[in-house]
């Protein structure tokens, strides 16, 4: 992927799967399997391309960098976070944020990006306070003061986006 086509920070991207992270992921394995990530901001200017001394980090020969292999012309792309598929969704369309280790820098080789800029619908998170109107006069239940009520945050891509991404990943 060329530097100008790497997307921008905050965009969701699909990463080609070369090997599974865990046995739990095997339940979702089918043609075109991919991982989802949210691109990071590598230099504070909205680009996920990692820089050194003001220039994009590029590679002139096969190189190991931050635990990933890079070839000539590849770029290191900063990942804000990965999202993992949930085991309870047989279709493999529900994702939850993966928690990296403290101090870990997540990167991916630009050559592994397959699709950038698709939408993910966020579900869950903090419940709205009581008294706010929902549809047609319905009210949300009151939550006792001092109680923090949240649902796990999950993300779901559109079915058409999932199909497009899988098609791209199958052919590469």
């Amino acid at each position: 992927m060329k530097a100008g086509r790497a997307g921008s920070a905050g965009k969701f991207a699909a990463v080609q799967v070369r090997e599974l992270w865990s046995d739990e992921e095997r339940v979702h394995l089918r043609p075109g399997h991919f991982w989802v990530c949210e691109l990071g901001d590598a230099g504070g200017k909205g680009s996920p391309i990692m820089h050194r001394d003001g220039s994009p980090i590029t590679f002139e020969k096969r190189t190991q960098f931050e635990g990933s292999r890079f070839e000539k012309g590849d770029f290191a792309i900063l990942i804000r976070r990965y999202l993992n598929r949930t085991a309870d969704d047989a279709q493999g369309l529900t994702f939850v944020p993966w928690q990296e280790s403290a101090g870990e820098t997540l990167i991916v080789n630009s050559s592994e990006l397959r699709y950038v800029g698709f939408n993910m619908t966020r579900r869950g998170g903090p419940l709205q306070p009581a008294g706010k109107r929902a549809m047609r006069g319905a009210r949300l239940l009151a939550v006792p003061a001092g109680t923090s009520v949240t649902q796990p945050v999950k993300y779901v891509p559109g079915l058409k986006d999932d199909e497009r991404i899988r098609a791209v990943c199958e052919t590469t």
Side-chain angles (χ1 to χ4, degrees):
M1 179 163 284
K2 295 184 190 305
R5 297 177 49 200
S8 58
K11 298 278 187 184
F12 288 105
V15 178
Q16 179 73 50
V17 173
R18 300 282 181 217
E19 59 188 56
L20 297 179
W21 277 350
S22 67
D23 286 336
E24 290 83 26
E25 188 178 10
R26 191 170 306 284
V27 70
H28 298 298
L29 187 61
R30 60 184 197 255
H33 189 62
F34 62 92
W35 295 322
V36 171
C37 65
E38 184 179 354
L39 301 176
D41 186 353
K45 296 181 181 176
S47 172
I49 299 171
M50 297 186 73
H51 286 67
R52 183 182 297 135
D53 300 325
S55 298
I57 297 173
T58 57
F59 303 92
E60 297 304 317
K61 61 181 182 176
R62 180 176 287 179
T63 306
Q64 285 292 121
F65 177 73
E66 298 284 337
S68 294
R69 188 178 87 188
F70 293 84
E71 302 287 340
K72 182 177 180 175
D74 292 343
F75 292 90
I77 304 294
L78 182 67
I79 302 300
R80 178 174 173 229
R81 63 183 170 167
Y82 276 103
L83 290 94
N84 288 344
R85 286 181 171 82
T86 61
D88 61 348
D89 178 2
Q91 287 186 302
L93 292 174
T94 305
F95 294 80
V96 293
W98 176 74
Q99 185 60 51
E100 72 276 2
S101 302
E104 184 178 18
T105 300
L106 303 175
I107 66 166
V108 68
N109 186 321
S110 58
S111 70
E112 298 298 324
L113 293 180
R114 293 295 179 261
Y115 203 94
V116 176
F118 56 94
N119 294 319
M120 297 281 283
T121 302
R122 181 182 166 143
R123 296 186 178 155
L127 296 177
Q128 297 296 316
K132 293 235 174 172
R133 291 235 181 241
M135 297 183 298
R136 297 195 178 218
R139 292 184 182 268
L140 298 174
L141 299 175
V143 177
T147 303
S148 174
V149 179
T150 61
Q151 298 173 322
V153 175
K154 296 180 179 182
Y155 293 85
V156 181
L159 186 56
K160 293 289 184 197
D161 281 329
D162 181 68
E163 291 170 356
R164 280 188 213 109
I165 295 165
R166 286 183 184 281
V168 169
C169 290
E170 278 185 73
T171 60
T172 55

